[in-house]
Each structure stands twice: as structure tokens, then as C-alpha cells.
Amino acid sequence: MKGVMKHIKQSLAMKLGLGMLTLAVVIFIVSLGMLFIVSRRMVHTDAVQRATNTLHTASLRITSFLEEIETATDNIEWIVLENLQPDSLLAFTHRIVELHPNVNGCSITMEPDFFPQCGKYFSAYSIREGDHVTTVREGEYDYYNKVWYKTPRTLGKPCWVDPFNDYNPGTLYTPEMIASYCKPLVLPDGRFAGVISTDLSLRHLSKAITAEKPYPNSYFIMLGQKGHYFVHPDANKILQQTIFTDVAPDDHPDIIALGHLMTEGTKGNMRVTVNGRKCLVFYQRQPNTEWSIALICPESDIFRNYRHLAYIVCPLLVIGLLLILLLCQRAVRHAITPLYLLVKQSQRIAAGNFDQQIAHSSRTDEVGRLQNSFAVMQESLARHISHIRQVNAETAQRNKELEEANRLAEQANERKTTFIQNVTHQIRTPLNIILGFSQILRDDVHLLPEEEVDNITGMLDRNTVTLNRMILMLFDSSETGSYKQLTLDSVVSCNEAARECIAYVQRQFPDMPVKFETTLDDDFRIKTNHLYLLRSLREILYNSGKYSDKQHVSLKAEKTATTVRFTFEDTGPGIAEDYRDIMYVPFTKTNDLSEGLGLGLPLIKRHCQNLGGDLTLDTTYHEGCKMIIELPIL
């Protein structure tokens, strides 16, 4: 694999071929993507039209069956009303079943005690049994509370009732599930006389619905007004289950929605997952009934040919792209052959053979112009070689001069260091005298008034510390000026260091309160140089006491993701903007007559950087001065 990648990187022909192949892939993918999207939409539109037509045809076929039964019942109604005799009613039911092959049975049931000579119950019933029709007077049972009798009597108009099981003990019944068209018999004077009920077998109804299917695995279902299945491929669900049975609303909201739409009598189609398969469901209300019919078409059947097309097109696409890559690589290689020769000549020049001559080309295309440009460049390169050699000689001479200047600068720096050390020695001599005198005063304190002794000793102590601070600065200036690396060999508690510095400064400024805030634990420690950390913190606090109003000085210690941050804040004049650019330059002061050596901030800056951190000024703070020291957490 590495060899192939290396070959591709080194071969311009292969790169150009792959570039052209990439462009072709993009064009092919976009084109095929649009083709497949449009094709899928067309297949979906065709499936919708096909399924809708099939559903409509099935509905018409059902309607023809229902209308046949309704017509047969309506046509015999007037005859029944004119011949309300027990024997005649038996003959009428027999006639309806005999003349209409799609009728499974027919009954004419009269109101209780309508025929006194026949007792309370009278119902003439004919049923188709194979090739012949059996007609009987039904046995006595409470058929007045049956849905096929009670519903038309209550509504006062003909209606289809949901399919039911016709089993009644002690009388003739059909073993099949039936749906009945029930028509009330009303006498001329308006009295209710009975009901004509003509039965349609669900088996015939199912055959009528499923006579035609648009796809191999598609199927029909029919629901009653409460969602019961009348027609379903699973016979165990017919009249035993509803579309809502054993369906969790959270898991199958689409099936619940479909059930409500069908029971409400709407028409349309929707996408539903049935038994783990994505299906398109087309549904509508069966005219003149409270029933709904639906055609369920699995998407795997609808898009079967569409997927087969993808299985054919994709391999052809891969083969075509490989052929394009091969042809492109060969064509590009032939076109750029002169470039390979030019590369070899350029490599010889790059190896140091500057006298290598590149021939001019008579070609006028890009390759020819490139070769001629290289030839001119080689000639110019030869002319400049001698000039470069001359410049190198001059540069060597200038380097010697720079080395001499650098040596002189180092000598000057050494002289400066010696000067600072000498000054320090001269300062320490009176310092020792002052310290000795203060010792004498403390030994003979009984000879002086207490108040005077306190003033003298306090003054001596402060001046002593001041002189000692100046001496330390001078020493630090001479040592850190040589960029000596500090050793980070101390483990220091940040809070203890801060408190120690505050105590030190308050000896110099007894009346100055220092507010200390910390978010660090007292046992939180960092690895650093203890001496230079204390010097840096003390000098910032000392400057705050020296230049601020001495009333609002604060020190805050906190931790970031990688550093410890010490923030010093005071109120007062702050640092002037024109001094901020040079405040870190040694021996620089805002006023030559002002107190100090001009080494405080430069030394703190160097100390912090040598400790791995930095010192910065917060220029957004305008109430005085706000300095920040950040040190790494080691």
C-alpha cells in the first residue's frame, strides 16, 4: 500500500488521472443520484396510482355485491308487505336466496306476537347449503335483541351491520361469518312490523376483495366501525381482534393513527410499519356502509425492480470509472513525456551541475514554453553564480567584523557587571556600619528615652532594609544579566509565600493594610526557586506601598489550568502610558531625580521568565496599577 501511495505522489500522470477520475466520479454520482431520485419518485407515483386503482376496483366489486343484495331486498319489500302470511314469508326468503347466488341467507323476522297463531316468535329463514336452499321457521330465541334486528328498528332505515357469528342454539344457522343488510318492514299505517335481513358471507366478501393484488405480497384488510377485522389474511384475527389490539401507542403510533383514520371514514394513504416491514397503506370508506377497506403494499415489493437496477448500475459504474482512470493515465503520460526529460535535467542542475545546458524547445504549447523558461532560468543562474560567490566573500568579511563587535560588546557588559559589583561593595560598607550602630543602640537602650529609641531604631531598620534591597537588586542585575539559569529546587506553599511577603512589606509601611485573597489551599505547593519567588512578590508589593495611596492594596492568589496567578492591585497614579513601553528596560526611571535604581520591574520580569512564567501589566485597569505574575505548576 505504501508503495502504491509513493508511486501516486511521484507520478504526475497518475495524479492528473486521479483528478480527472475524481471529477468523473462526482459527475457520475450526481447524475446517477438525480436519476435514482427521479426514478424512485416515478416508481412511488406509479405505485400510488396502481394501488389506488386496485383499491378502487376492489371497492367497486364489493359495492356491486352489496348493491345486488340491497336491490334484491328492496325489490321484495313491497311484496312482503302485501302478503304478510307465514307461508308466504317462508317462500319469499327462499326465493331471494335461490335467485341470487351471492346471497348466503335471508330471514324475515316479525315483531313479537305479530302472528298470534304462531306464538310470540316468528322468523322465516332460508340458507344456502351447497347447491340447494333450505328454508325453515327458526326456533324460538331472543332474536329481537340481535344487532341485525335491533339496529334497523332503532334507526328506522335500512343499514348494513357489522359481520357476526350466526350460531343460535336450537335453530338453523350458517357456519360462516356473515354480514347482513337489514331493512325495516313498516306497515302503511306507520307501525313497525319486522325486519328483512339478507346475509352476505365474509368468505365471498374476502374473495371479492382479494381477487386482484397489485404486488405479490400485498393484501387487503377491512375494518368495522369499531376497528374489528372483517377481512384479513390471518383468519384468527377476523372478528376476534381490532386494529388497536396488542399495539403499543409509543411503539406503533403509525398503526394507531391508521386505525383512527379508517374508523373515522377518511380516504388517503400513509407509510406504516407492519410486522417490521415498511409498507404503503391505501384506505377509504366503503360507500353506504360504516366499513373501511385498506390495501397494504410492502415497500420491498414496490421498489424491488428499482433495487435490481441499482445492483446492475453500480458494478457497471465501477468498471467504467476504472476504464476512465486507465485511459486518462495513458493519455496524460503521453502528453507530459517532455516534462520527464526536463525533470531529469533539472535534477542534475540541483545536484550542483550548474553548467548543465537545457535545450530550447520549438514547441509553442505550455510544455514548450516551460522548457524554454527553464533554459533561460539556467542561463541566468550561471550568471548569478559568480556574483553569489563574490557576495559570500564579502559576507564572510562582515561576519568577522560582527564577531569583533560582539567581543567588544561582551567586554563592555563585563565592565558593567564589574561596575555594579563595585558599587554594591561600596554600599554594603556603610550598611555594615548602620547595622553595627543599630546593634549598639539596642544594647544601650536604657541610656536613651524610649520614644527616641523607637524612632531611631525604626528609622535605622527601614533604611537598612532599603539599602539591603538596593544591594540585592544590584547583585541580581549583575547575575541575571548573564542569563544564568535558575535552579527550581524548592517546593513552596503559594499562600505561605504570599503571607511572608505581606509581612515583609508591612514592616516598611506599618500603616498600609494589605488585603489578601486566595482560592488555593494552604498545602497547595509548586516547584520553583524560593528566593527569587519571594523577591518578585515582595518587590511588587513594595512598589504598591511606595507609589499608591497605601489604603487599597490587595494580593490575590488563584490557580488556572496550568499556572498559579498572583494579582497585585492598588489605587493611585498607576503607570503612565508613555512609560509602559520602556518600564522593563534596566536603569530606566520615570524621573531621573526619583528614588530607586530603575531595576525593580526589569528584575521581576527576568525572575518570572527564568522561573518559567511572566510578569504582565493589566492595561484595562484604570484605578491605579494592576500587575499579574503567572508561574507554571510543576
Side-chain angles (χ1 to χ4, degrees):
M1 186 64 184
K2 291 183 179 179
V4 174
M5 295 301 297
K6 183 177 180 181
H7 175 69
I8 293 175
K9 291 181 179 179
Q10 295 179 350
S11 174
L12 178 60
M14 183 62 70
K15 289 181 179 179
L16 292 176
L18 289 176
M20 297 175 67
L21 177 64
T22 302
L23 180 62
V25 168
V26 173
I27 295 175
F28 272 109
I29 290 177
V30 173
S31 301
L32 288 176
M34 295 298 297
L35 174 63
F36 275 98
I37 291 173
V38 173
S39 300
R40 186 179 180 87
R41 290 178 179 175
M42 293 177 63
V43 170
H44 182 270
T45 302
D46 179 71
V48 171
Q49 185 64 38
R50 184 177 179 183
T52 302
N53 292 338
T54 303
L55 182 64
H56 181 66
T57 301
S59 179
L60 291 178
R61 194 177 297 111
I62 296 171
T63 300
S64 66
F65 281 7
L66 300 183
E67 287 180 352
E68 177 184 353
I69 293 175
E70 291 173 5
T71 301
T73 305
D74 295 340
N75 289 341
I76 205 171
E77 177 189 11
W78 66 275
I79 301 176
V80 172
L81 291 175
E82 291 183 359
N83 299 276
L84 289 176
Q85 299 296 328
D87 294 337
S88 298
L89 297 183
L90 292 170
F92 294 150
T93 59
H94 187 278
R95 181 179 180 184
I96 289 178
V97 177
E98 186 178 44
L99 295 178
H100 300 88
N102 290 324
V103 174
N104 186 72
C106 178
S107 67
I108 301 177
T109 306
M110 306 306 295
E111 276 285 76
D113 300 319
F114 188 87
F115 298 120
Q117 68 276 20
C118 297
K120 179 179 180 180
Y121 299 94
F122 180 84
S123 177
Y125 182 52
S126 294
I127 184 173
R128 187 182 304 279
E129 295 180 333
D131 295 331
H132 65 279
V133 177
T134 302
T135 301
V136 298
R137 175 188 172 185
E138 289 191 275
E140 295 183 355
Y141 67 94
D142 188 16
Y143 43 72
Y144 301 115
N145 287 320
K146 295 294 184 180
V147 65
W148 52 266
Y149 189 93
K150 185 168 58 176
T151 301
R153 191 180 191 283
T154 302
L155 297 176
K157 63 180 181 179
C159 63
W160 281 93
V161 296
D162 289 351
F164 56 93
N165 189 334
D166 190 47
Y167 172 73
N168 295 291
T171 186
L172 183 65
Y173 68 92
T174 176
E176 296 183 3
M177 299 292 181
I178 58 174
S180 297
Y181 175 73
C182 306
K183 187 177 184 65
L185 294 173
V186 182
L187 298 175
D189 58 1
R191 289 185 299 118
F192 182 84
V195 172
I196 302 178
S197 176
T198 308
D199 305 327
L200 172 65
S201 171
L202 283 187
R203 181 169 52 83
H204 288 90
L205 186 63
S206 179
K207 288 182 178 180
I209 295 175
T210 59
E212 180 182 351
K213 295 193 300 184
Y215 299 102
N217 296 310
S218 60
Y219 59 92
F220 287 88
I221 64 171
M222 179 178 280
L223 303 181
Q225 57 183 346
K226 293 184 179 180
H228 284 88
Y229 289 110
F230 295 167
V231 176
H232 195 280
D234 186 355
N236 295 325
K237 293 185 177 182
I238 297 177
L239 297 183
Q240 303 298 320
Q241 296 183 13
T242 69
I243 194 172
F244 307 108
T245 302
D246 298 330
V247 177
D250 294 336
D251 297 335
H252 302 283
D254 49 355
I255 296 179
I256 298 296
L258 174 64
H260 286 297
L261 290 173
M262 291 184 66
T263 55
E264 290 170 4
T266 58
K267 178 180 180 180
N269 65 82
M270 64 182 296
R271 192 179 185 186
V272 178
T273 301
V274 181
N275 296 328
R277 301 176 67 183
K278 295 180 179 179
C279 303
L280 286 177
V281 180
F282 304 83
Y283 56 90
Q284 70 177 44
R285 169 65 61 84
Q286 181 63 34
N288 301 323
T289 69
E290 295 295 326
W291 310 334
S292 290
I293 183 175
L295 173 59
I296 300 176
C297 302
E299 286 188 354
S300 58
D301 283 6
I302 295 175
F303 297 106
R304 178 175 299 171
N305 294 331
Y306 174 84
R307 293 191 179 92
H308 289 167
L309 177 63
Y311 297 149
I312 297 173
V313 170
C314 289
L316 292 177
L317 174 63
V318 173
I319 295 173
L321 291 176
L322 292 176
L323 291 175
I324 290 175
L325 174 62
L326 179 61
L327 294 176
C328 289
Q329 196 266 347
R330 289 182 177 273
V332 171
R333 181 182 293 275
H334 180 269
I336 64 175
T337 298
L339 289 179
Y340 289 115
L341 300 177
L342 185 60
V343 168
K344 291 181 179 179
Q345 291 175 324
S346 301
Q347 288 175 344
R348 285 194 290 270
I349 293 175
N353 301 317
F354 301 108
D355 297 330
Q356 175 71 37
Q357 294 294 326
I358 298 178
H360 287 265
S361 174
S362 60
R363 294 177 57 170
T364 59
D365 58 5
E366 288 79 6
V367 176
R369 293 198 297 270
L370 178 63
Q371 183 173 348
N372 292 333
S373 297
F374 265 87
V376 174
M377 181 184 67
Q378 189 274 333
E379 293 170 357
S380 299
L381 182 62
R383 288 195 301 268
H384 289 296
I385 289 297
S386 59
H387 177 70
I388 292 173
R389 289 171 180 169
Q390 181 181 355
V391 171
N392 287 340
E394 295 175 357
T395 302
Q397 180 62 30
R398 291 176 182 173
N399 288 338
K400 291 181 180 180
E401 296 174 357
L402 290 174
E403 290 176 359
E404 179 64 19
N406 185 54
R407 185 182 63 81
L408 294 176
E410 290 178 353
Q411 290 177 355
N413 185 58
E414 291 175 358
R415 288 194 297 271
K416 182 197 73 170
T417 302
T418 302
F419 169 76
I420 292 175
Q421 290 175 346
N422 291 334
V423 171
T424 302
H425 179 72
Q426 293 176 10
I427 292 176
R428 294 195 72 173
T429 299
L431 175 63
N432 290 332
I433 295 173
I434 293 173
L435 291 174
F437 187 66
S438 64
Q439 182 67 39
I440 293 173
L441 286 178
R442 284 193 288 271
D443 293 340
D444 300 328
V445 66
H446 59 280
L447 301 176
L448 297 173
E450 183 178 353
E451 182 178 355
E452 184 177 353
V453 170
D454 291 339
N455 290 334
I456 292 174
T457 56
M459 184 180 299
L460 288 175
D461 183 68
R462 286 192 295 273
N463 283 281
T464 300
V465 173
T466 301
L467 288 174
N468 189 55
R469 170 176 164 270
M470 295 173 62
I471 293 171
L472 289 176
M473 284 186 181
L474 290 171
F475 270 117
D476 286 346
S477 176
S478 63
E479 292 174 358
T480 58
S482 61
Y483 298 96
K484 180 181 179 181
Q485 182 65 36
L486 299 180
T487 57
L488 307 180
D489 55 357
S490 303
V491 179
V492 182
S493 169
C494 296
N495 288 345
E496 289 182 9
R499 294 188 181 102
E500 183 177 347
C501 293
I502 292 173
Y504 170 85
V505 172
Q506 286 183 331
R507 288 176 55 197
Q508 306 302 310
F509 304 98
D511 299 328
M512 182 184 73
V514 178
K515 181 181 179 181
F516 177 57
E517 298 178 5
T518 180
T519 60
L520 307 175
D521 296 329
D522 287 339
D523 58 354
F524 178 80
R525 301 174 183 273
I526 61 173
K527 189 175 183 181
T528 184
N529 189 292
H530 183 262
L531 175 62
Y532 285 96
L533 173 62
L534 292 182
R535 288 182 181 180
S536 301
L537 299 180
R538 287 189 309 207
E539 186 62 23
I540 294 293
L541 277 178
Y542 185 89
N543 285 342
S544 296
K546 183 177 179 181
Y547 298 107
S548 72
D549 61 2
K550 299 182 179 61
Q551 298 299 320
H552 304 88
V553 179
S554 67
L555 169 58
K556 183 178 181 180
E558 57 187 345
K559 181 176 70 171
T560 67
T562 58
T563 64
V564 174
R565 179 181 298 162
F566 297 93
T567 304
F568 304 83
E569 188 175 300
D570 61 56
T571 57
I575 299 177
E577 291 185 3
D578 56 353
Y579 178 68
R580 293 174 182 175
D581 294 334
I582 60 173
M583 65 182 184
Y584 297 123
V585 179
F587 305 106
T588 302
K589 300 190 293 183
T590 57
N591 186 350
D592 292 336
L593 299 178
S594 63
E595 182 182 354
L597 299 176
L599 290 175
L601 291 178
L603 287 177
I604 299 172
K605 182 81 169 178
R606 288 184 182 179
H607 292 343
C608 293
Q609 291 177 344
N610 288 335
L611 294 175
D614 201 2
L615 169 68
T616 57
L617 172 67
D618 187 354
T619 57
T620 62
Y621 182 75
H622 303 293
E623 301 298 326
C625 181
K626 184 176 182 179
M627 304 293 291
I628 300 173
I629 292 179
E630 281 197 276
L631 299 176
I633 300 175
L634 298 178

